Amino acid sequence: MLDILQIIKAGETNTVEFKSWIKTPKFKEMIELLVKEAVGFANTKGGTILVGVEDDGEITGCSKFDTQNIIEAIYDKTIPKLFTDIEVIELEGKEILCITVDKSTEIISTSNGITYRRLGKNTKPYYPSEYSSNKIEGYKGDFSAKVIGNSSEDDIDFLEVENLKRKLQSREKDSTLYNLDDLSFLKDIELIKIIDNEVKLTVAGVLFVGTETAIAKYMPQAEILVLTYKEGKTEYHKRLDLKIPLVRAIDRIQQLFEDQNSIENVQVGLFKLEVQDYPINVFQEALLNAMTHRDYENTSSIIIKFYPTEIVIENPGSFPEGIDSKNIISHPSTPRNKLIAEIFQKLKYVQRSGQGVDIMFKDMLALGKSAPDYTLYNNAVKLILRSSLEDVEFLKFITKEEERIGEFTVQEICILKYVKEYKTISLPKAAEVAQINKQSVASVLSNLSQKKNILQREKRNSYMFTHRVYAEFDDQIEYIKDKDFDEIQAEVMIIDYLKKNGTITRADVEVLCGFSNTTSKRVLRKLRSENKIELVGKSTASKYVLFQEN
């Protein structure tokens, strides 16, 4: 009893608060005051609330109270739920309530989402940027490189450090980083900082090598949910919650992906091409993009949904400024979390810096599948990858052409896919489809027509497939050209070419007119029959010249 009297005599402190019962007769108002003070103490050092004591220490007591109701009301109006203890004490013939609040290991708020802490004798609003357990010092504008002030060496999972070093050693033979001691290794790749001779983790450090306890404490929002659905079912039948270091999470998710990634065999010429539902590198790029570009200040989780015919990845945070669905292929990479991106590159999860979105578009379209489908929301991005093989003929065509002339760029693939579907493409539409400016797309179109003999220029500055390419599709797409007109036009082009250059070969005709081998032979044969050209030389040395009358 003496201790309580001494506490009251000492007055209010950062661990002691007085509350008048007689000045707040309404129970609801009293509970609101008690919840505020309890939250403030829980978020600081803990403390004691003495109800029935005035600010100046006068003991005025309480009446008609129910301690169980008070305990339950504080519990119900706090998140996470706050447990308190109440003791009824009689002083000077009056009853006061002594409410004890312990310091919480996590941030407590009211059920209305308001957070408080104790500051001297007063309870003040407590904002997320001030949380001691989440105190992050600014660093070059990159959130993932910021230092978590309350972290320490005890928060490091050194088994995970060894995991990173093993991966680096196996993937980067010339690197010497893995020979460093653990702390020097982490410091060199900026997962830790040494501040006043103490080890502090960066945000990326917690995400890559933090213990599960540290992740839950400092970055509880860094969660990945993986949901698996069965055919025809709207509810998932498997759920995996991952609050573990990023590389370990990648390995778990990759295993789930590979277990259900099927293969379809497609006959291309004399060999069979194995076509996966989703190319492994496409899914990996999508997963790494989610981890690299997500907003780690957003409390939502990355959600990956495996459906029978599609994969959906929902990622917190909108596209970085300047990027939208109309330039996502060509826009220079601007990772929201640069340090995380750099670590993935060091570990050879990505072969080059950049978003990897161009790889995803190119590989999906080249395999006859639909392009990655991005949907942008105010604070989230959704990506859908679809497994169905929509255009087998396009797959076969791209495969054969890449064997002939080498790999296509993503811009070329996008343009060719559009022409395959819509038969012709204008310069402005090509720029839009390839997501580059008109000057750049003109060069791409020129390359596809003059060097690769795939497209030919039409009137009104548009392009379409050459006759040779139409033949490649085995009449799966219709001609929209007047073939007779084309061949008459080709005859004029050949005569003009001979007047300027003197000779022409059949191969030259294929390139000049965009014709197949068969069509070129037919046009040349017709010109010879009309005594307009003649063949000189034999075998590989043969060529055509203008007909000369004797």
Side-chain angles (χ1 to χ4, degrees):
M1 196 70 63
L2 183 62
D3 288 342
I4 291 294
L5 289 174
Q6 289 177 341
I7 288 172
I8 293 174
K9 185 177 180 180
E12 293 179 320
T13 66
N14 65 336
T15 57
V16 176
E17 173 69 22
F18 300 158
K19 276 286 173 274
S20 172
W21 182 274
I22 62 174
K23 291 181 180 179
T24 316
K26 294 183 178 180
F27 181 76
K28 183 178 180 180
E29 293 179 4
M30 174 57 70
I31 291 301
E32 289 178 354
L33 292 173
L34 295 181
V35 167
K36 174 182 176 181
E37 301 301 340
V39 168
F41 282 137
N43 288 330
T44 315
K45 296 181 179 180
T48 301
I49 307 171
L50 297 178
V51 185
V53 180
E54 306 302 311
D55 289 343
D56 60 3
E58 179 186 359
I59 299 172
T60 53
C62 305
S63 61
K64 298 180 181 180
F65 54 82
D66 186 327
T67 57
Q68 184 62 32
N69 282 349
I70 294 173
I71 290 174
E72 290 182 0
I74 294 174
Y75 176 88
D76 290 338
K77 291 183 176 295
T78 52
I79 299 176
K81 302 304 183 184
L82 185 60
F83 292 90
T84 55
D85 184 60
I86 298 183
E87 182 181 0
V88 180
I89 299 175
E90 185 174 341
L91 292 175
E92 300 178 1
K94 301 180 179 71
E95 290 182 321
I96 69 169
L97 306 179
C98 179
I99 303 175
T100 303
V101 182
D102 292 330
K103 173 178 170 54
S104 175
T105 57
E106 53 188 332
I107 302 299
I108 305 293
S109 72
T110 70
S111 56
N112 293 327
I114 303 174
T115 308
Y116 298 97
R117 66 173 172 173
R118 193 72 174 178
L119 200 61
K121 298 180 181 181
N122 299 310
T123 298
K124 298 287 187 180
Y126 190 20
Y127 299 105
S129 60
E130 302 172 316
Y131 294 172
S132 60
S133 63
N134 214 19
K135 185 177 180 182
I136 298 176
E137 300 175 10
Y139 178 77
K140 297 182 181 178
D142 174 11
F143 184 79
S144 66
K146 293 178 180 179
V147 176
I148 299 179
N150 206 37
S151 61
S152 70
E153 186 174 342
D154 293 337
D155 294 313
I156 300 173
D157 182 344
F158 284 97
L159 289 177
E160 198 60 30
V161 178
E162 287 303 312
N163 184 29
L164 294 192
K165 292 171 80 172
R166 282 195 301 271
K167 288 185 182 295
L168 183 63
Q169 183 178 15
S170 65
R171 299 175 182 183
E172 184 59 76
K173 301 298 184 183
D174 295 332
S175 175
T176 58
L177 283 174
Y178 56 82
N179 291 322
L180 298 173
D181 64 84
D182 289 346
L183 292 182
S184 296
F185 169 73
L186 295 175
K187 182 181 177 183
D188 194 90
I189 61 176
E190 299 186 64
L191 294 184
I192 65 170
K193 299 286 184 181
I194 307 299
I195 300 175
D196 296 331
N197 294 321
E198 293 185 357
V199 173
K200 302 293 181 183
L201 280 77
T202 59
V203 168
V206 171
L207 295 174
F208 276 99
V209 297
T211 63
E212 292 184 32
T213 300
I215 293 172
K217 181 179 180 182
Y218 303 122
M219 298 294 296
Q221 67 273 35
E223 179 181 45
I224 302 174
L225 301 181
V226 184
L227 309 175
T228 306
Y229 296 78
K230 288 184 176 180
E231 184 73 45
K233 300 293 184 181
T234 57
E235 296 292 332
Y236 59 84
H237 78 284
K238 288 184 181 179
R239 171 180 172 138
L240 179 63
D241 294 25
L242 298 174
K243 281 191 176 182
I244 58 179
L246 291 181
V247 170
R248 205 188 324 159
I250 290 173
D251 292 341
R252 292 282 299 277
I253 296 168
Q254 194 84 0
Q255 186 60 55
L256 287 174
F257 165 76
E258 292 176 359
D259 287 344
Q260 53 191 313
N261 194 25
S262 301
I263 292 176
E264 180 176 351
N265 287 303
V266 177
Q267 192 74 38
V268 181
L270 297 177
F271 75 96
K272 285 187 177 180
L273 180 66
E274 292 186 345
V275 181
Q276 297 173 317
D277 285 345
Y278 313 93
I280 293 175
N281 64 311
V282 169
F283 177 73
Q284 180 169 295
E285 288 288 349
L287 179 59
L288 293 175
N289 280 349
M291 293 177 169
T292 302
H293 294 279
R294 75 151 288 176
D295 181 359
Y296 284 97
E297 295 180 275
N298 188 313
T299 58
S300 300
S301 305
I302 294 174
I303 302 177
I304 303 172
K305 300 177 181 178
F306 287 109
Y307 292 99
T309 59
E310 63 184 33
I311 297 174
V312 179
I313 300 178
E314 298 171 358
N315 202 35
S318 60
F319 283 153
E321 185 176 355
I323 298 179
D324 56 35
S325 58
K326 294 181 179 179
N327 65 5
I328 191 170
I329 298 175
S330 56
H331 196 286
S333 176
T334 53
R336 178 177 277 112
N337 301 287
K338 185 179 178 183
L339 180 54
I340 291 177
E342 290 174 349
I343 299 301
F344 279 136
Q345 191 172 359
K346 284 185 174 72
L347 295 173
K348 297 300 178 183
Y349 277 100
V350 291
Q351 297 304 313
R352 56 168 176 74
S353 61
Q355 291 175 281
V357 174
D358 55 346
I359 294 175
M360 295 165 59
F361 271 77
K362 177 181 177 296
D363 288 1
M364 290 295 282
L365 290 174
L367 288 176
K369 300 177 183 292
S370 61
D373 183 359
Y374 281 93
T375 303
L376 175 63
Y377 302 97
N378 288 335
N379 59 354
V381 174
K382 180 169 74 174
L383 167 65
I384 302 177
L385 300 174
R386 297 182 173 88
S387 64
S388 60
L389 186 51
E390 296 179 350
D391 195 338
V392 176
E393 291 303 319
F394 190 71
L395 162 64
K396 292 179 178 179
F397 165 69
I398 293 297
T399 302
K400 291 178 181 178
E401 289 298 308
E402 288 193 330
E403 286 183 352
R404 182 178 71 89
I405 57 178
E407 192 171 353
F408 289 109
T409 67
V410 63
Q411 288 81 16
E412 290 173 333
I413 289 285
C414 289
I415 290 171
L416 294 176
K417 177 65 175 176
Y418 184 92
V419 176
K420 171 66 165 57
E421 185 170 355
Y422 296 100
K423 312 301 188 291
T424 184
I425 192 168
S426 65
L427 186 67
K429 176 55 72 172
E432 177 187 331
V433 168
Q435 298 189 4
I436 53 180
N437 60 45
K438 291 182 180 179
Q439 182 178 357
S440 297
V441 85
S443 176
V444 175
L445 291 169
S446 176
N447 191 51
L448 286 171
S449 58
Q450 296 181 18
K451 293 184 179 180
K452 298 186 176 180
N453 190 22
I454 295 176
L455 297 182
Q456 64 182 38
R457 190 169 180 172
E458 294 297 299
K459 53 188 175 181
R460 296 181 183 176
N461 209 25
S462 63
Y463 291 78
M464 66 176 298
F465 286 135
T466 63
H467 284 249
R468 180 188 66 80
V469 174
Y470 277 115
E472 286 289 328
F473 284 116
D474 297 325
D475 296 326
Q476 293 296 316
I477 55 180
E478 299 176 354
Y479 283 100
I480 61 170
K481 292 163 57 70
D482 184 328
K483 293 172 65 176
D484 292 335
F485 175 81
D486 280 344
E487 294 186 11
I488 292 171
Q489 187 181 44
E491 292 175 10
V492 175
M493 293 169 63
I494 292 169
I495 297 300
D496 287 343
Y497 184 92
L498 286 170
K499 288 178 180 178
K500 293 179 182 178
N501 299 283
T503 64
I504 193 171
T505 65
R506 180 181 50 76
D508 291 334
V509 172
E510 290 182 23
V511 174
L512 178 66
C513 303
F515 284 165
S516 65
N517 181 289
T518 302
T519 305
S520 296
K521 286 181 178 178
R522 183 173 62 250
V523 173
L524 290 169
R525 187 163 53 245
K526 182 174 182 293
L527 287 172
R528 288 180 66 191
S529 69
E530 295 172 351
N531 290 327
K532 293 181 180 178
I533 63 172
E534 59 182 319
L535 181 65
V536 297
K538 294 182 179 181
S539 188
T540 57
S542 64
K543 54 190 175 182
Y544 296 87
V545 297
L546 288 171
F547 182 78
Q548 299 289 334
E549 292 186 6
N550 294 329

